[in-house]
Amino acid sequence: MIEYILGHFNYWLIITVMMVGLYTLISRANLMKKLAGLAMFQTAVILFYVSLGKVTGGTVPIVDDQFTIYSNPLPQVLMLTAIVVGVATTALGFALVIRIKEAYDTVEEYEIQKMDSDS
Amino acid sequence: MTEQITILLVIIPLLCAPITAIFKSHKIAWAITFFVSLCCLLISSYILLQVIDGSQVIYELGGWQPPWGIEYKIDSLNAFVALIVSVMAVVSTVFAYASVQREIDDDLYGLFYAAFQLCLLGLLGIALTGDIFNLFVFLEISSLSSYALISMGSNRKALTAAFSYLILGTIGATFFLIGVGFLYAASGSLNIFDIASRFETYEKMQLVTTSFIFIILGIGLKAAIFPLHSWLPNAYGYAPSVISIFLAATATKVSIYVLIRVLFDVYPMEYWSKLLIPQVLLTLGCVAVIYGSVRAWQQNEIRRLLAFSSVAQIGYIIIGLALLSHSGITSAIMHMFNHAVIKATLFMAAGMILYRARSTTLSDLGGFAVNMPWTFAALFIAGLSLIGVPGTAGFVSKWYLLEGAVAQQKWFVVISIALGSVFAVAYLWKIVDAMYFSAQRKIHITKVKSGDISLAVAPKSMSVALWTGAIACIYFGLFTKLPTDAAKSVATALLGS
């Protein structure tokens, strides 16, 4: 059992990061904090993919007689794309927060909802 | 030759979008967008003609062999979805000419059309690709551009609507990505057809169930399946009218297409039937139909009313899929097409009302039908089609759906469909009552230069787009051969019988 827990140490960490991100996203009313939670949530998935590709004792995938075990490079390549998507999402989110701040003069969700339901 | 043409569907908007972004002039930006969507329409109809007999078009990106390279494998379902998307792109671009000048700031024309083309590119890409990670990338391209497009709505509520869509859409996409990761860990492949062909070898792994649940949840969020629909009413209700038309007609349909692919092609039907998925989807579909229709009936603003009605209509499609019978799936595929046409027409009518009256709140529109009889007539036709009156497009797909439900003796499904139709009559009657039977009221309009003729006349381009939709609603109700044949061939291919 202990071996199982320690053997999957990286996955426990990833689950923790993911849940912290998701919890922040759900529980905070501040839009900036929501975006921070969202970014953490996405980062956890990136870590998850990178963990998937790692082979114990494996090296980088280079052609050389000395090495026979390689880590899988494909998940890392996929994550380059996912990182770009994540950056774009966060940037767009920040841009929207700026526009919301200009339009409502607040970034607190409850105040925005109150203004919306009043108008 | 045919293989090379398929990639152009993605390449043309991808190349034209940055060029469009440079131009400040509305005419040039619009002309490029119109050219792009027309090209996409020509190409996708050409591809559909190639594959309608059941053959496939295969394109390997960069000449890399699948399963290592990305592969576009186009059968009748892909081609049908691509055609829906590009037809709607052309219709909404025609509508856009007058509407965008009114609703979007002058210095944003180029960027608006560039984002529109990127959204088109993403949706077409989802429809074409056979690689599940590539599908995620296209999903995010279309979603990111639609967040930006929705936020350009004139009401400040569009901003919060876009923000909550961004949060929920990203959670959905990330869930999908986690699911893809688990599936990759189990199968070692990202090619949909490769994953499916070796499914028995890793079916027993716990990972596969986890991946299935994550993927279904992620797509369910994007497709706005009840109870994951909360982003939809605000997003479609406050977006610029062109974007409401385009997204309501295509975005959720494309997500449902992904759901169909995942359910019927990636995971075998025997596998997920054991997980109670059909029963869950059937129940959610029935709840969505009733809930969406009741909420639509409670709305006082035409575009929000139509958006809630979309939630209900997605319910019909989900019910059709979950019946797992030939007529059920035929109705689901047909309703994807019919609902795209009907909802686009209704949103176009709402857009024209917004253009002339500067408001779509029902209490502002008392007796307004007298001022725009033709628009109102088109809205009425599309409304009848939405209810499912015989002789209109909506009737055909509902008929197949009822046939499938009765054949399986699922009476609660029959009852929910009937209730949904009754409420559809009720909420559309609300519009008719306010616009036609209420006492005429002088409309209070602000921010208009005196002598602006737009109050008296609706632009020609808008009317053309609107009536194309309205006539299509009738045409596909009377001459049902084309969509029925396509839907039946898809259903046969999916059920493998």
Side-chain angles (χ1 to χ4, degrees):
Chain A
M1 186 64 192
I2 293 292
E3 209 168 290
Y4 175 78
I5 292 173
L6 288 179
H8 293 79
F9 185 62
N10 48 345
Y11 292 104
W12 298 117
L13 274 181
I14 290 164
I15 292 170
T16 315
V17 174
M18 190 180 280
M19 288 306 121
V20 169
L22 201 56
Y23 180 74
T24 317
L25 178 60
I26 295 167
S27 64
R28 299 295 121 173
N30 186 308
L31 298 184
M32 290 300 279
K33 288 179 183 165
K34 267 186 191 296
L35 278 179
L38 191 69
M40 273 180 86
F41 182 56
Q42 287 182 312
T43 313
V45 178
I46 292 166
L47 290 173
F48 166 66
Y49 266 77
V50 174
S51 284
L52 276 185
K54 175 67 183 169
V55 177
T56 315
T59 62
V60 282
I62 44 169
V63 180
D64 192 305
D65 292 339
Q66 294 172 30
F67 305 112
T68 50
I69 308 174
Y70 306 116
S71 289
N72 186 353
L74 184 68
Q76 301 190 12
V77 177
L78 297 180
M79 281 311 102
L80 283 180
T81 319
I83 289 168
V84 174
V85 170
V87 169
T89 311
T90 320
L92 185 60
F94 284 147
L96 282 177
V97 171
I98 293 172
R99 292 271 311 275
I100 288 174
K101 171 83 178 163
E102 285 168 1
Y104 289 86
D105 203 28
T106 176
V107 290
E108 295 293 327
E109 199 177 24
Y110 299 123
E111 294 174 23
I112 292 170
Q113 277 170 357
K114 196 163 168 296
M115 286 179 182
D116 274 352
S117 57
D118 288 348
S119 65
Chain B
M1 178 58 188
T2 317
E3 300 89 65
Q4 305 292 338
I5 276 181
T6 57
I7 193 67
L8 284 180
L9 269 183
V10 176
I11 295 288
I12 294 176
L14 190 62
L15 288 180
C16 290
I19 300 173
T20 315
I22 300 171
F23 291 106
K24 291 249 183 281
S25 147
H26 179 263
K27 275 207 178 101
I28 298 174
W30 181 83
I32 298 176
T33 314
F34 188 64
F35 168 76
V36 167
S37 45
L38 213 56
C39 283
C40 290
L41 177 61
L42 288 178
I43 297 170
S44 53
S45 17
Y46 176 74
I47 295 174
L48 185 65
L49 287 179
Q50 299 288 310
V51 298
I52 193 99
D53 55 356
S55 59
Q56 289 178 326
V57 175
I58 294 171
Y59 179 76
E60 291 155 6
L61 257 78
W64 295 89
Q65 294 274 310
W68 296 280
I70 294 170
E71 175 195 31
Y72 287 5
K73 194 171 190 174
I74 295 149
D75 56 19
S76 43
L77 178 58
N78 298 58
F80 191 57
V81 174
L83 187 73
I84 296 178
V85 173
S86 37
V87 167
M88 288 308 149
V90 171
V91 172
S92 30
T93 315
V94 171
F95 189 87
Y97 187 75
S99 147
V100 166
Q101 295 187 59
R102 167 66 56 80
E103 291 180 36
I104 308 295
D105 290 340
D106 291 359
D107 49 344
L108 290 177
Y109 291 150
L111 294 171
F112 177 86
Y113 283 112
F116 179 79
Q117 287 175 28
L118 286 176
C119 190
L120 172 65
L121 143 83
L123 295 170
L124 285 172
I126 296 171
L128 296 180
T129 186
D131 181 285
I132 201 160
F133 189 81
N134 198 229
L135 198 151
F136 161 78
V137 176
F138 279 127
L139 197 66
E140 279 303 74
I141 293 178
S142 67
S143 304
L144 281 169
S145 42
S146 51
Y147 308 145
L149 288 168
I150 288 168
S151 74
M152 289 188 195
S154 48
N155 191 321
R156 68 176 177 180
K157 285 179 190 168
L159 293 171
T160 41
F163 189 82
S164 57
Y165 184 21
L166 180 132
I167 297 282
L168 287 172
T170 310
I171 293 178
T174 314
F175 268 36
F176 183 78
L177 189 60
I178 300 171
V180 170
F182 278 120
L183 193 59
Y184 176 70
S187 68
S189 177
L190 292 167
N191 186 298
I192 290 176
F193 307 98
D194 189 41
I195 294 171
S197 67
R198 294 186 290 104
F199 194 79
E200 307 82 50
T201 52
Y202 49 83
E203 192 181 344
K204 295 277 184 304
M205 288 178 165
Q206 180 65 41
L207 279 180
V208 180
T209 315
T210 319
S211 76
F212 180 74
I213 303 293
F214 269 116
I215 290 181
I216 294 296
L217 277 179
I219 291 300
L221 246 171
K222 289 276 183 189
I225 296 169
F226 180 89
L228 305 171
H229 65 278
S230 60
W231 56 268
L232 188 141
N234 279 343
Y236 291 179
Y238 297 118
S241 33
V242 184
I243 300 309
S244 300
I245 296 162
F246 184 61
L247 291 183
T250 57
T252 45
K253 308 295 169 303
V254 169
S255 302
I256 287 170
Y257 155 78
V258 179
L259 187 72
I260 295 174
R261 265 285 173 244
V262 169
L263 286 181
F264 291 92
D265 276 352
V266 180
Y267 298 88
M269 201 193 292
E270 301 77 44
Y271 178 75
W272 48 271
S273 297
K274 282 183 290 187
L275 298 172
L276 290 179
I277 297 294
Q279 287 84 340
V280 170
L281 283 181
L282 204 58
T283 317
L284 289 181
C286 291
V287 178
V289 165
I290 296 172
Y291 170 87
S293 308
V294 172
R295 286 302 303 273
W297 178 57
Q298 293 170 337
Q299 301 305 313
N300 290 315
E301 210 266 341
I302 294 180
R303 293 205 295 156
R304 270 177 71 80
L305 184 152
L306 294 178
F308 271 111
S309 137
S310 277
V311 175
Q313 302 293 320
I314 291 162
Y316 287 119
I317 301 176
I318 298 299
I319 292 175
L321 288 180
L323 284 176
L324 295 182
S325 65
H326 195 276
S327 52
I329 292 174
T330 307
S331 95
I333 307 285
M334 276 179 71
H335 205 57
M336 275 166 74
F337 176 75
N338 289 340
H339 177 242
V341 173
I342 296 166
K343 203 38 74 64
T345 312
L346 286 170
F347 267 112
M348 279 192 275
M352 286 177 74
I353 294 167
L354 183 70
Y355 184 88
R356 285 189 53 190
R358 315 280 163 133
S359 165
T360 48
T361 310
L362 286 174
S363 54
D364 292 347
L365 295 173
F368 199 61
V370 180
N371 298 355
M372 39 196 325
W374 287 101
T375 307
F376 182 73
L379 186 132
F380 193 69
I381 292 172
L384 290 181
S385 190
L386 189 74
I387 296 166
V389 174
T392 57
F395 173 72
V396 188
S397 40
K398 264 193 189 164
W399 181 257
Y400 275 102
L401 189 61
L402 278 174
E403 195 181 278
V406 171
Q408 295 188 15
Q409 312 217 318
K410 299 223 155 96
W411 300 115
F412 70 100
V413 176
V414 177
I415 293 169
S416 349
I417 295 170
L419 266 179
S421 305
V422 170
F423 276 107
V425 174
Y427 63 68
L428 289 161
W429 181 256
K430 252 184 119 165
I431 303 181
V432 174
D433 185 51
M435 288 186 64
Y436 194 76
F437 289 105
S438 297
Q440 201 167 8
R441 195 172 301 183
K442 195 168 163 59
I443 293 166
H444 177 70
I445 295 169
T446 47
K447 291 186 206 160
V448 186
K449 279 176 263 167
S450 61
D452 190 336
I453 58 156
S454 72
L455 290 174
V457 197
K460 287 271 183 319
S461 58
M462 280 180 162
S463 306
V464 168
L466 178 72
W467 275 95
T468 314
I471 290 167
C473 285
I474 299 279
Y475 179 84
F476 289 113
L478 297 177
F479 305 94
T480 54
K481 195 173 178 328
L482 181 74
T484 319
D485 283 358
K488 278 189 173 157
S489 88
V490 171
T492 313
L494 289 179
L495 290 169
S497 54

Short mmCIF file of all heavy atoms in Angstrom, two decimals, chain A residues 2 11 24 36 44 55 75 78-79 81 94-95 97-98 105 108:
data_model
loop_
_atom_site.label_atom_id
_atom_site.label_comp_id
_atom_site.label_asym_id
_atom_site.label_seq_id
_atom_site.Cartn_x
_atom_site.Cartn_y
_atom_site.Cartn_z
N ILE A 2 1.82 1.30 0.95
CA ILE A 2 2.74 2.43 1.01
C ILE A 2 3.48 2.56 -0.32
O ILE A 2 3.64 3.66 -0.86
CB ILE A 2 3.77 2.22 2.16
CG1 ILE A 2 3.09 2.27 3.52
CG2 ILE A 2 4.89 3.27 2.08
CD1 ILE A 2 2.54 3.63 3.89
N TYR A 11 1.46 11.58 -9.30
CA TYR A 11 0.04 11.70 -9.59
C TYR A 11 -0.73 12.30 -8.42
O TYR A 11 -1.67 13.07 -8.60
CB TYR A 11 -0.54 10.34 -9.99
CG TYR A 11 -0.01 9.86 -11.31
CD1 TYR A 11 0.96 8.87 -11.39
CD2 TYR A 11 -0.43 10.46 -12.49
CE1 TYR A 11 1.47 8.47 -12.61
CE2 TYR A 11 0.08 10.06 -13.72
CZ TYR A 11 1.03 9.07 -13.77
OH TYR A 11 1.53 8.68 -14.97
N THR A 24 -10.37 26.82 -6.14
CA THR A 24 -10.22 28.28 -6.24
C THR A 24 -11.21 28.84 -7.27
O THR A 24 -11.87 29.85 -7.04
CB THR A 24 -8.80 28.65 -6.68
OG1 THR A 24 -7.88 27.84 -5.97
CG2 THR A 24 -8.49 30.10 -6.44
N ALA A 36 -6.84 32.67 -12.01
CA ALA A 36 -5.67 32.01 -11.46
C ALA A 36 -5.96 30.54 -11.20
O ALA A 36 -5.15 29.65 -11.52
CB ALA A 36 -5.25 32.71 -10.17
N ALA A 44 -2.09 21.57 -14.08
CA ALA A 44 -2.10 20.21 -13.54
C ALA A 44 -2.24 19.19 -14.67
O ALA A 44 -1.58 18.14 -14.65
CB ALA A 44 -3.24 20.06 -12.55
N VAL A 55 9.45 7.40 -18.64
CA VAL A 55 9.75 5.98 -18.41
C VAL A 55 10.90 5.93 -17.40
O VAL A 55 11.90 6.64 -17.59
CB VAL A 55 10.16 5.29 -19.72
CG1 VAL A 55 10.54 3.84 -19.45
CG2 VAL A 55 9.04 5.37 -20.72
N PRO A 75 3.81 12.99 -25.53
CA PRO A 75 2.99 13.81 -24.63
C PRO A 75 3.56 15.20 -24.41
O PRO A 75 2.80 16.18 -24.32
CB PRO A 75 3.00 13.02 -23.32
CG PRO A 75 3.25 11.63 -23.72
CD PRO A 75 4.15 11.71 -24.90
N LEU A 78 2.63 17.28 -27.35
CA LEU A 78 1.22 17.65 -27.27
C LEU A 78 1.04 18.82 -26.32
O LEU A 78 0.25 19.73 -26.55
CB LEU A 78 0.38 16.46 -26.79
CG LEU A 78 0.35 15.22 -27.66
CD1 LEU A 78 -0.54 14.18 -27.02
CD2 LEU A 78 -0.15 15.54 -29.05
N MET A 79 1.80 18.77 -25.20
CA MET A 79 1.62 19.80 -24.18
C MET A 79 2.11 21.16 -24.62
O MET A 79 1.63 22.18 -24.12
CB MET A 79 2.29 19.38 -22.87
CG MET A 79 1.48 18.39 -22.10
SD MET A 79 -0.25 18.90 -21.94
CE MET A 79 -1.06 17.89 -23.15
N THR A 81 1.40 22.40 -27.44
CA THR A 81 0.16 22.97 -27.98
C THR A 81 -0.79 23.37 -26.86
O THR A 81 -1.38 24.45 -26.89
CB THR A 81 -0.53 21.93 -28.88
OG1 THR A 81 0.47 21.28 -29.65
CG2 THR A 81 -1.54 22.58 -29.76
N PHE A 94 -7.96 37.65 -19.10
CA PHE A 94 -7.51 38.93 -18.53
C PHE A 94 -8.10 40.10 -19.30
O PHE A 94 -8.54 41.10 -18.71
CB PHE A 94 -5.98 39.01 -18.52
CG PHE A 94 -5.34 38.19 -17.45
CD1 PHE A 94 -4.10 37.59 -17.64
CD2 PHE A 94 -5.98 37.99 -16.23
CE1 PHE A 94 -3.52 36.82 -16.65
CE2 PHE A 94 -5.40 37.22 -15.23
CZ PHE A 94 -4.17 36.64 -15.45
N ALA A 95 -8.09 39.97 -20.64
CA ALA A 95 -8.64 41.05 -21.46
C ALA A 95 -10.10 41.28 -21.10
O ALA A 95 -10.55 42.43 -20.97
CB ALA A 95 -8.50 40.71 -22.94
N VAL A 97 -11.52 40.56 -18.24
CA VAL A 97 -11.60 41.15 -16.90
C VAL A 97 -11.38 42.66 -16.97
O VAL A 97 -12.09 43.44 -16.32
CB VAL A 97 -10.59 40.48 -15.94
CG1 VAL A 97 -10.53 41.24 -14.63
CG2 VAL A 97 -10.98 39.05 -15.70
N ILE A 98 -10.42 43.09 -17.81
CA ILE A 98 -10.18 44.54 -17.96
C ILE A 98 -11.43 45.23 -18.49
O ILE A 98 -11.87 46.27 -17.97
CB ILE A 98 -8.97 44.79 -18.90
CG1 ILE A 98 -7.70 44.29 -18.23
CG2 ILE A 98 -8.85 46.26 -19.24
CD1 ILE A 98 -6.50 44.30 -19.13
N ASP A 105 -16.81 48.68 -13.18
CA ASP A 105 -15.98 49.27 -12.13
C ASP A 105 -15.81 48.34 -10.92
O ASP A 105 -15.66 48.78 -9.79
CB ASP A 105 -16.56 50.62 -11.68
CG ASP A 105 -15.47 51.48 -11.06
OD1 ASP A 105 -14.31 51.29 -11.46
OD2 ASP A 105 -15.77 52.29 -10.18
N GLU A 108 -15.68 41.91 -8.69
CA GLU A 108 -16.28 40.95 -7.77
C GLU A 108 -17.58 40.42 -8.38
O GLU A 108 -18.46 41.20 -8.75
CB GLU A 108 -16.57 41.61 -6.42
CG GLU A 108 -15.33 42.06 -5.66
CD GLU A 108 -14.48 40.88 -5.20
OE1 GLU A 108 -15.05 39.80 -4.91
OE2 GLU A 108 -13.25 41.02 -5.15
#
